[in-house]
Amino acid sequence: MKILEKILSAKTFLCLQLIATIVCLFFMVRVKFLPAKYIILVAVVLVFMLLLTFLLQLRAKETSIRAIFSRMLAILMCVMLVMATVFVRSGYNYISGFADADREINVMSVIVLNESGYKKIDDLKNKKIGLNNQVDKENIVKAKNDVNKKVKASYKVFDNFVDLANNLYNKKTDAILINEAFRGLIEEEYEMFSDETSVIYQMEISRKTENLANTGGIDDGVFNVCITGIDTTGPVSTVSRSDVNMIMTVNMNTHKIILTSIPRDYYVTLASHNAKDKLTHSGIYGVNETVKTLENLLDIKIDYYVRINFTSLIKIVDVLGGVDVESDRELHLGNITIQKGMNHMDGEMALAYSRERHSYEEGDRHRIQNQQDVILAIIQKLKNPNILFNYQELLQKIDGTFETNISSAEIAELIQMQLSKMENFAMERQYLDGKGVMTTGLYSMPNSKLYTMIPDQDTVDAASKAIKELEEQ
């Protein structure tokens, strides 16, 4: 009985409140979301509540109203502190889920013509499968070994994707085995390829990649982020073409941002292959290839990357409650109508607006501007203090929609910086331009004649200069 009385004594509840206070403050300091001034304010409030609980117990009998009230206050504070600790901790865990990205997924597919009648991998017994192992040999070998475990088939090797597809359509092979990252290359020759074929078997190959993040790059408040949008739905870590390419230069000290867009068809030198190709094709060799290629193009250092896909954009915009974007004309995109002037866009509308180019004489040039409109609208919405203070709910809903090689600690540092100053950012935008031509001899498709944009070096130099000037401010 005496042991129970000690356990239920007012002092015990005071000790529990003290422990909960220490643990909560420990996690607040550790995750580094809140600026020091906010943590000090929270600490003062929590110490005051501890002192109040203590004063209520001072010289009070265990069964007195004061002592009972002190217990109730201590319980209430413990519950609130535990909830706050879980809130902070779980938010940090969500950030860890998309930060420090260092893996990529290659999706390998066995593809057949719809008219072939083949429905499953077993149907290819003693049939012929075509493959191209010239540019993706390691993954093709792994996929081939996996297929061999499922069915006994023969293989025919091609040295380019056009011949690979031609032989499938000409029925000289019964199926083809490709990395889904290269599907877009075939679609540049056969526009209806995805409609005329089916995937009857698929496997994923995950591999660790080199993390090129400039760890600590955020410390001085000036950094470059490569925003790359891949042309897939599903897992954002899937290797695919980089259809959206932007460099966001941030100066937290002067509160300025420059958003630089580079056309997807820009004729560039692939960094790791020292060969000419379209910028969008850099993504099929991994996000690091895109980053390095853009670094060389603009003669800058890119500190981090953020990768999103089409699924990501829809979910992010919807979670934010939509974004406000101004269109310079009325657009009818399927069942979506965009009015001339300001539009409050949901995810589907924002995606349609970001992808549209046929409605404009400028084509891809105007699409780039639209993509910047959407990105800047998202950034504008994220600067709202209500979004920052409800970050846990936001992160929970967009979990898996994007990834970055920025570390968890550095993301927390960014949140802390913004909460500390709550400054608005002046945003500038710039675009690289060029001349559209048909080009033969691209690294990824050497035998095809494809549309490319030859860089206007003046726009490249001007963009590079603007970025460097902002970095030095």
Side-chain angles (χ1 to χ4, degrees):
M1 191 67 177
K2 289 184 178 181
I3 295 177
L4 183 61
E5 289 177 358
K6 287 183 178 181
I7 293 175
L8 297 178
S9 69
K11 291 181 180 179
T12 299
F13 286 88
L14 177 62
C15 289
L16 290 175
Q17 184 180 341
L18 175 62
I19 294 171
T21 298
I22 293 172
V23 171
C24 184
L25 287 174
F26 169 77
F27 277 108
M28 284 186 176
V29 172
R30 183 180 181 186
V31 301
K32 300 179 181 178
F33 287 146
L34 291 177
K37 60 183 179 182
Y38 292 142
I39 292 179
I40 292 172
L41 178 61
V42 171
V44 169
V45 172
L46 294 181
V47 169
F48 171 77
M49 297 306 296
L50 272 171
L51 183 60
L52 179 60
T53 304
F54 172 74
L55 291 175
L56 287 171
Q57 294 180 8
L58 188 64
R59 298 179 183 177
K61 294 181 179 180
E62 288 293 326
T63 56
S64 68
I65 294 178
R66 284 171 57 194
I68 293 173
F69 182 75
S70 75
R71 291 185 182 91
M72 294 174 61
L73 179 61
I75 291 172
L76 177 62
M77 287 303 300
C78 285
V79 171
M80 292 176 61
L81 289 167
V82 169
M83 291 176 62
T85 301
V86 171
F87 176 82
V88 173
R89 182 65 181 171
S90 60
Y92 189 79
N93 288 339
Y94 280 120
I95 288 178
S96 300
F98 63 76
D100 298 295
D102 63 353
R103 302 201 75 82
E104 290 182 331
I105 296 174
N106 287 276
V107 179
M108 313 299 294
S109 297
V110 176
I111 299 174
V112 299
L113 291 174
N114 292 335
E115 63 185 52
S116 69
Y118 302 133
K119 301 297 183 183
K120 56 186 185 300
I121 191 67
D122 292 342
D123 294 338
L124 295 180
K125 183 178 181 181
N126 298 323
K127 303 297 182 180
K128 186 177 293 184
I129 301 175
L131 54 85
N132 174 9
N133 63 5
Q134 298 300 303
V135 293
D136 193 37
K137 187 172 183 178
E138 182 179 348
N139 289 320
I140 286 293
V141 169
K142 290 181 179 179
K144 179 182 174 183
N145 291 338
D146 183 73
V147 171
N148 283 337
K149 296 176 183 177
K150 308 294 181 183
V151 65
K152 183 178 180 181
S154 60
Y155 295 88
K156 185 174 182 179
V157 179
F158 301 91
D159 61 6
N160 65 81
F161 289 100
V162 174
D163 288 345
L164 182 68
N166 285 341
N167 275 263
L168 177 66
Y169 275 101
N170 294 335
K171 301 180 181 179
K172 294 181 179 179
T173 56
D174 300 286
I176 59 173
L177 172 61
I178 66 166
N179 186 329
E180 284 289 344
F182 295 88
R183 175 185 286 266
L185 301 186
I186 296 177
E187 290 176 336
E188 293 190 40
E189 288 288 336
Y190 290 94
E191 188 175 344
M192 301 301 295
F193 177 77
S194 292
D195 295 322
E196 296 168 343
T197 62
S198 300
V199 174
I200 62 170
Y201 184 73
Q202 203 166 65
M203 66 170 292
E204 293 183 355
I205 300 174
S206 177
R207 68 182 181 91
K208 187 176 178 63
T209 60
E210 180 185 3
N211 192 336
L212 300 179
N214 179 23
T215 304
I218 285 173
D219 291 344
D220 62 2
V222 182
F223 50 92
N224 288 311
V225 181
C226 174
I227 301 174
T228 175
I230 59 177
D231 67 340
T232 64
T233 56
V236 71
S237 53
T238 303
V239 176
S240 182
R241 293 182 300 176
S242 52
D243 269 11
V244 178
N245 301 279
M246 300 182 189
I247 306 297
M248 185 168 66
T249 305
V250 182
N251 190 318
M252 301 286 289
N253 306 314
T254 60
H255 308 107
K256 293 181 180 178
I257 292 175
I258 293 179
L259 200 58
T260 306
S261 286
I262 306 95
R264 66 185 296 279
D265 294 315
Y266 231 41
Y267 190 60
V268 297
T269 301
L270 297 179
S272 299
H273 303 282
N274 194 31
K276 290 291 186 178
D277 209 332
K278 296 205 287 188
L279 177 59
T280 184
H281 292 170
S282 67
I284 62 181
Y285 305 107
V287 65
N288 286 346
E289 184 69 18
T290 300
V291 170
K292 291 177 182 178
T293 298
L294 289 174
E295 281 185 332
N296 293 343
L297 175 69
L298 288 162
D299 188 31
I300 60 171
K301 171 64 180 175
I302 296 176
D303 302 285
Y304 309 100
Y305 71 76
V306 174
R307 181 162 54 174
I308 64 175
N309 61 17
F310 292 149
T311 304
S312 307
L313 182 63
I314 294 172
K315 293 182 70 173
I316 290 171
V317 171
D318 285 342
V319 166
L320 292 174
V323 294
D324 297 320
V325 178
E326 187 169 2
S327 175
D328 63 355
R329 70 193 67 185
E330 184 174 310
L331 300 171
H332 299 278
L333 311 174
N335 61 348
I336 295 174
T337 298
I338 296 174
Q339 303 294 333
K340 181 179 180 180
M342 189 61 69
N343 293 262
H344 185 72
M345 298 184 178
D346 62 11
E348 292 284 353
M349 187 181 294
L351 176 60
Y353 183 72
S354 299
R355 299 182 71 176
E356 178 56 25
R357 61 186 174 90
H358 298 294
S359 301
Y360 306 99
E361 291 182 6
E362 307 93 329
D364 196 46
R365 292 179 177 86
H366 206 296
R367 176 167 60 177
I368 288 173
Q369 295 177 32
N370 292 353
Q371 291 167 353
Q372 283 201 359
D373 289 340
V374 172
I375 293 295
L376 291 175
I378 291 173
I379 294 173
Q380 198 68 33
K381 201 70 176 284
L382 286 171
K383 292 191 303 180
N384 188 313
N386 293 329
I387 294 292
L388 290 172
F389 283 113
N390 293 302
Y391 75 95
Q392 185 197 31
E393 181 183 2
L394 173 66
L395 293 176
Q396 183 178 9
K397 289 181 178 178
I398 63 173
D399 184 33
T401 62
F402 71 99
E403 66 179 18
T404 177
N405 62 351
I406 305 176
S407 70
S408 304
E410 287 177 309
I411 292 175
E413 187 179 347
L414 280 174
I415 295 173
Q416 185 185 92
M417 286 180 180
Q418 183 61 15
L419 286 175
S420 178
K421 298 180 180 179
M422 286 297 180
E423 295 278 357
N424 286 322
F425 280 76
M427 300 198 185
E428 300 178 15
R429 56 174 78 190
Q430 56 185 5
Y431 317 92
L432 302 194
D433 205 349
K435 180 181 179 181
V437 299
M438 300 302 293
T439 305
T440 303
L442 300 182
Y443 177 75
S444 301
M445 298 190 72
N447 300 322
S448 298
K449 192 172 185 178
L450 302 175
Y451 174 84
T452 63
M453 183 179 286
I454 305 301
D456 179 339
Q457 194 58 42
D458 288 341
T459 64
V460 176
D461 293 340
S464 177
K465 180 181 179 183
I467 291 172
K468 292 174 180 177
E469 288 178 348
L470 181 57
E471 290 176 327
E472 294 170 359
Q473 289 179 10

mmCIF file of all heavy atoms in Angstrom, residues 218-248:
data_model
loop_
_atom_site.group_PDB
_atom_site.id
_atom_site.type_symbol
_atom_site.label_atom_id
_atom_site.label_comp_id
_atom_site.label_asym_id
_atom_site.label_seq_id
_atom_site.Cartn_x
_atom_site.Cartn_y
_atom_site.Cartn_z
ATOM 1 N N ILE A 218 24.704 24.125 -47.735
ATOM 2 C CA ILE A 218 23.644 25.009 -47.261
ATOM 3 C C ILE A 218 24.134 25.928 -46.146
ATOM 4 O O ILE A 218 23.537 26.980 -45.890
ATOM 5 C CB ILE A 218 22.441 24.157 -46.791
ATOM 6 C CG1 ILE A 218 21.697 23.602 -48.003
ATOM 7 C CG2 ILE A 218 21.471 24.944 -45.912
ATOM 8 C CD1 ILE A 218 20.599 22.627 -47.676
ATOM 9 N N ASP A 219 25.237 25.573 -45.517
ATOM 10 C CA ASP A 219 25.694 26.293 -44.327
ATOM 11 C C ASP A 219 25.853 27.788 -44.544
ATOM 12 O O ASP A 219 25.526 28.593 -43.667
ATOM 13 C CB ASP A 219 27.010 25.701 -43.814
ATOM 14 C CG ASP A 219 26.821 24.304 -43.242
ATOM 15 O OD1 ASP A 219 25.659 23.941 -42.980
ATOM 16 O OD2 ASP A 219 27.814 23.586 -43.070
ATOM 17 N N ASP A 220 26.383 28.175 -45.715
ATOM 18 C CA ASP A 220 26.586 29.605 -45.944
ATOM 19 C C ASP A 220 25.373 30.264 -46.603
ATOM 20 O O ASP A 220 25.397 31.456 -46.927
ATOM 21 C CB ASP A 220 27.844 29.857 -46.785
ATOM 22 C CG ASP A 220 27.754 29.232 -48.170
ATOM 23 O OD1 ASP A 220 26.704 28.634 -48.488
ATOM 24 O OD2 ASP A 220 28.726 29.347 -48.937
ATOM 25 N N GLY A 221 24.311 29.479 -46.796
ATOM 26 C CA GLY A 221 23.071 30.042 -47.309
ATOM 27 C C GLY A 221 23.024 30.252 -48.802
ATOM 28 O O GLY A 221 22.074 30.845 -49.321
ATOM 29 N N VAL A 222 24.031 29.772 -49.543
ATOM 30 C CA VAL A 222 24.068 29.945 -50.997
ATOM 31 C C VAL A 222 24.307 28.583 -51.636
ATOM 32 O O VAL A 222 25.298 27.920 -51.336
ATOM 33 C CB VAL A 222 25.183 30.925 -51.415
ATOM 34 C CG1 VAL A 222 25.168 31.128 -52.931
ATOM 35 C CG2 VAL A 222 25.016 32.261 -50.699
ATOM 36 N N PHE A 223 23.404 28.165 -52.529
ATOM 37 C CA PHE A 223 23.550 26.837 -53.111
ATOM 38 C C PHE A 223 22.739 26.728 -54.394
ATOM 39 O O PHE A 223 21.795 27.489 -54.628
ATOM 40 C CB PHE A 223 23.118 25.749 -52.128
ATOM 41 C CG PHE A 223 21.768 26.001 -51.502
ATOM 42 C CD1 PHE A 223 20.611 25.490 -52.074
ATOM 43 C CD2 PHE A 223 21.660 26.744 -50.332
ATOM 44 C CE1 PHE A 223 19.378 25.716 -51.500
ATOM 45 C CE2 PHE A 223 20.413 26.984 -49.757
ATOM 46 C CZ PHE A 223 19.272 26.472 -50.340
ATOM 47 N N ASN A 224 23.118 25.754 -55.235
ATOM 48 C CA ASN A 224 22.410 25.446 -56.488
ATOM 49 C C ASN A 224 21.740 24.084 -56.369
ATOM 50 O O ASN A 224 22.362 23.122 -55.917
ATOM 51 C CB ASN A 224 23.385 25.421 -57.672
ATOM 52 C CG ASN A 224 23.864 26.799 -58.047
ATOM 53 O OD1 ASN A 224 23.084 27.723 -58.198
ATOM 54 N ND2 ASN A 224 25.178 26.953 -58.211
ATOM 55 N N VAL A 225 20.487 24.008 -56.797
ATOM 56 C CA VAL A 225 19.741 22.756 -56.774
ATOM 57 C C VAL A 225 19.277 22.438 -58.194
ATOM 58 O O VAL A 225 18.653 23.273 -58.849
ATOM 59 C CB VAL A 225 18.511 22.837 -55.851
ATOM 60 C CG1 VAL A 225 17.764 21.503 -55.838
ATOM 61 C CG2 VAL A 225 18.911 23.235 -54.444
ATOM 62 N N CYS A 226 19.583 21.239 -58.656
ATOM 63 C CA CYS A 226 19.085 20.773 -59.950
ATOM 64 C C CYS A 226 17.717 20.126 -59.722
ATOM 65 O O CYS A 226 17.599 19.169 -58.958
ATOM 66 C CB CYS A 226 20.054 19.759 -60.563
ATOM 67 S SG CYS A 226 19.445 18.996 -62.080
ATOM 68 N N ILE A 227 16.698 20.680 -60.375
ATOM 69 C CA ILE A 227 15.359 20.099 -60.315
ATOM 70 C C ILE A 227 15.147 19.330 -61.608
ATOM 71 O O ILE A 227 15.148 19.908 -62.695
ATOM 72 C CB ILE A 227 14.283 21.183 -60.171
ATOM 73 C CG1 ILE A 227 14.521 22.013 -58.902
ATOM 74 C CG2 ILE A 227 12.891 20.557 -60.138
ATOM 75 C CD1 ILE A 227 13.588 23.205 -58.768
ATOM 76 N N THR A 228 15.004 18.039 -61.492
ATOM 77 C CA THR A 228 14.841 17.215 -62.686
ATOM 78 C C THR A 228 13.519 16.462 -62.608
ATOM 79 O O THR A 228 13.200 15.830 -61.594
ATOM 80 C CB THR A 228 16.021 16.236 -62.870
ATOM 81 O OG1 THR A 228 15.761 15.376 -63.977
ATOM 82 C CG2 THR A 228 16.253 15.394 -61.632
ATOM 83 N N GLY A 229 12.736 16.577 -63.669
ATOM 84 C CA GLY A 229 11.448 15.896 -63.731
ATOM 85 C C GLY A 229 11.511 14.764 -64.725
ATOM 86 O O GLY A 229 11.785 14.973 -65.908
ATOM 87 N N ILE A 230 11.302 13.549 -64.261
ATOM 88 C CA ILE A 230 11.404 12.387 -65.138
ATOM 89 C C ILE A 230 10.034 12.058 -65.716
ATOM 90 O O ILE A 230 8.998 12.371 -65.119
ATOM 91 C CB ILE A 230 11.997 11.167 -64.411
ATOM 92 C CG1 ILE A 230 11.144 10.768 -63.206
ATOM 93 C CG2 ILE A 230 13.418 11.475 -63.958
ATOM 94 C CD1 ILE A 230 11.626 9.532 -62.492
ATOM 95 N N ASP A 231 10.033 11.420 -66.901
ATOM 96 C CA ASP A 231 8.778 11.207 -67.631
ATOM 97 C C ASP A 231 8.142 9.867 -67.307
ATOM 98 O O ASP A 231 7.765 9.095 -68.185
ATOM 99 C CB ASP A 231 9.016 11.329 -69.137
ATOM 100 C CG ASP A 231 9.880 10.206 -69.689
ATOM 101 O OD1 ASP A 231 10.587 9.561 -68.882
ATOM 102 O OD2 ASP A 231 9.853 9.954 -70.896
ATOM 103 N N THR A 232 8.001 9.580 -66.024
ATOM 104 C CA THR A 232 7.360 8.329 -65.618
ATOM 105 C C THR A 232 6.329 8.611 -64.543
ATOM 106 O O THR A 232 6.292 9.685 -63.948
ATOM 107 C CB THR A 232 8.374 7.327 -65.023
ATOM 108 O OG1 THR A 232 8.924 7.873 -63.812
ATOM 109 C CG2 THR A 232 9.469 7.024 -65.995
ATOM 110 N N THR A 233 5.481 7.629 -64.303
ATOM 111 C CA THR A 233 4.654 7.620 -63.108
ATOM 112 C C THR A 233 5.194 6.505 -62.231
ATOM 113 O O THR A 233 6.013 5.706 -62.652
ATOM 114 C CB THR A 233 3.176 7.358 -63.454
ATOM 115 O OG1 THR A 233 3.093 6.119 -64.177
ATOM 116 C CG2 THR A 233 2.626 8.478 -64.315
ATOM 117 N N GLY A 234 4.752 6.460 -60.981
ATOM 118 C CA GLY A 234 5.235 5.423 -60.088
ATOM 119 C C GLY A 234 6.448 5.875 -59.289
ATOM 120 O O GLY A 234 6.627 7.064 -59.043
ATOM 121 N N PRO A 235 7.307 4.934 -58.838
ATOM 122 C CA PRO A 235 8.444 5.267 -57.978
ATOM 123 C C PRO A 235 9.334 6.341 -58.590
ATOM 124 O O PRO A 235 9.737 6.250 -59.753
ATOM 125 C CB PRO A 235 9.193 3.927 -57.846
ATOM 126 C CG PRO A 235 8.155 2.894 -58.100
ATOM 127 C CD PRO A 235 7.226 3.484 -59.115
ATOM 128 N N VAL A 236 9.642 7.363 -57.783
ATOM 129 C CA VAL A 236 10.419 8.482 -58.307
ATOM 130 C C VAL A 236 11.882 8.106 -58.527
ATOM 131 O O VAL A 236 12.604 8.803 -59.243
ATOM 132 C CB VAL A 236 10.301 9.684 -57.340
ATOM 133 C CG1 VAL A 236 11.063 9.429 -56.051
ATOM 134 C CG2 VAL A 236 10.761 10.968 -57.999
ATOM 135 N N SER A 237 12.325 7.031 -57.929
ATOM 136 C CA SER A 237 13.711 6.608 -58.092
ATOM 137 C C SER A 237 13.943 5.830 -59.382
ATOM 138 O O SER A 237 15.064 5.414 -59.679
ATOM 139 C CB SER A 237 14.148 5.745 -56.892
ATOM 140 O OG SER A 237 13.247 4.675 -56.692
ATOM 141 N N THR A 238 12.876 5.627 -60.180
ATOM 142 C CA THR A 238 12.996 4.910 -61.447
ATOM 143 C C THR A 238 13.841 5.705 -62.432
ATOM 144 O O THR A 238 13.632 6.900 -62.623
ATOM 145 C CB THR A 238 11.614 4.655 -62.057
ATOM 146 O OG1 THR A 238 10.811 3.932 -61.117
ATOM 147 C CG2 THR A 238 11.729 3.858 -63.338
ATOM 148 N N VAL A 239 14.788 5.050 -63.069
ATOM 149 C CA VAL A 239 15.631 5.700 -64.069
ATOM 150 C C VAL A 239 14.795 5.987 -65.308
ATOM 151 O O VAL A 239 14.087 5.118 -65.818
ATOM 152 C CB VAL A 239 16.838 4.807 -64.427
ATOM 153 C CG1 VAL A 239 17.668 5.449 -65.536
ATOM 154 C CG2 VAL A 239 17.697 4.558 -63.193
ATOM 155 N N SER A 240 14.862 7.215 -65.796
ATOM 156 C CA SER A 240 14.080 7.599 -66.958
ATOM 157 C C SER A 240 14.650 8.873 -67.571
ATOM 158 O O SER A 240 15.565 9.485 -67.010
ATOM 159 C CB SER A 240 12.616 7.831 -66.556
ATOM 160 O OG SER A 240 11.829 8.151 -67.683
ATOM 161 N N ARG A 241 14.101 9.274 -68.722
ATOM 162 C CA ARG A 241 14.539 10.512 -69.360
ATOM 163 C C ARG A 241 14.255 11.707 -68.448
ATOM 164 O O ARG A 241 13.274 11.729 -67.722
ATOM 165 C CB ARG A 241 13.825 10.707 -70.699
ATOM 166 C CG ARG A 241 14.189 9.709 -71.764
ATOM 167 C CD ARG A 241 13.461 10.003 -73.066
ATOM 168 N NE ARG A 241 12.008 9.956 -72.916
ATOM 169 C CZ ARG A 241 11.162 10.250 -73.881
ATOM 170 N NH1 ARG A 241 11.604 10.633 -75.066
ATOM 171 N NH2 ARG A 241 9.861 10.164 -73.670
ATOM 172 N N SER A 242 15.115 12.713 -68.520
ATOM 173 C CA SER A 242 14.920 13.936 -67.729
ATOM 174 C C SER A 242 14.217 14.964 -68.609
ATOM 175 O O SER A 242 14.857 15.681 -69.370
ATOM 176 C CB SER A 242 16.262 14.467 -67.228
ATOM 177 O OG SER A 242 17.190 14.603 -68.291
ATOM 178 N N ASP A 243 12.908 15.014 -68.512
ATOM 179 C CA ASP A 243 12.117 15.870 -69.392
ATOM 180 C C ASP A 243 12.005 17.304 -68.898
ATOM 181 O O ASP A 243 11.693 18.200 -69.675
ATOM 182 C CB ASP A 243 10.726 15.278 -69.588
ATOM 183 C CG ASP A 243 10.675 14.355 -70.795
ATOM 184 O OD1 ASP A 243 11.749 14.043 -71.324
ATOM 185 O OD2 ASP A 243 9.580 13.956 -71.220
ATOM 186 N N VAL A 244 12.181 17.526 -67.618
ATOM 187 C CA VAL A 244 12.184 18.876 -67.055
ATOM 188 C C VAL A 244 13.529 19.100 -66.384
ATOM 189 O O VAL A 244 13.948 18.293 -65.556
ATOM 190 C CB VAL A 244 11.047 19.068 -66.031
ATOM 191 C CG1 VAL A 244 11.103 20.471 -65.424
ATOM 192 C CG2 VAL A 244 9.694 18.822 -66.683
ATOM 193 N N ASN A 245 14.191 20.192 -66.748
ATOM 194 C CA ASN A 245 15.525 20.451 -66.199
ATOM 195 C C ASN A 245 15.648 21.918 -65.804
ATOM 196 O O ASN A 245 15.566 22.806 -66.651
ATOM 197 C CB ASN A 245 16.601 20.111 -67.233
ATOM 198 C CG ASN A 245 16.540 18.657 -67.662
ATOM 199 O OD1 ASN A 245 17.036 17.771 -66.972
ATOM 200 N ND2 ASN A 245 15.910 18.394 -68.809
ATOM 201 N N MET A 246 15.827 22.144 -64.516
ATOM 202 C CA MET A 246 15.966 23.499 -64.000
ATOM 203 C C MET A 246 17.088 23.555 -62.971
ATOM 204 O O MET A 246 17.366 22.564 -62.285
ATOM 205 C CB MET A 246 14.671 23.976 -63.326
ATOM 206 C CG MET A 246 13.455 24.006 -64.213
ATOM 207 S SD MET A 246 12.019 24.653 -63.300
ATOM 208 C CE MET A 246 10.704 24.318 -64.486
ATOM 209 N N ILE A 247 17.701 24.711 -62.875
ATOM 210 C CA ILE A 247 18.666 24.978 -61.817
ATOM 211 C C ILE A 247 18.079 26.078 -60.945
ATOM 212 O O ILE A 247 17.777 27.170 -61.439
ATOM 213 C CB ILE A 247 20.034 25.443 -62.370
ATOM 214 C CG1 ILE A 247 20.581 24.446 -63.382
ATOM 215 C CG2 ILE A 247 21.016 25.652 -61.215
ATOM 216 C CD1 ILE A 247 20.870 23.081 -62.832
ATOM 217 N N MET A 248 17.890 25.797 -59.677
ATOM 218 C CA MET A 248 17.412 26.812 -58.738
ATOM 219 C C MET A 248 18.591 27.288 -57.901
ATOM 220 O O MET A 248 19.167 26.528 -57.118
ATOM 221 C CB MET A 248 16.312 26.256 -57.829
ATOM 222 C CG MET A 248 15.713 27.312 -56.916
ATOM 223 S SD MET A 248 14.180 26.765 -56.081
ATOM 224 C CE MET A 248 14.835 25.471 -55.020
#
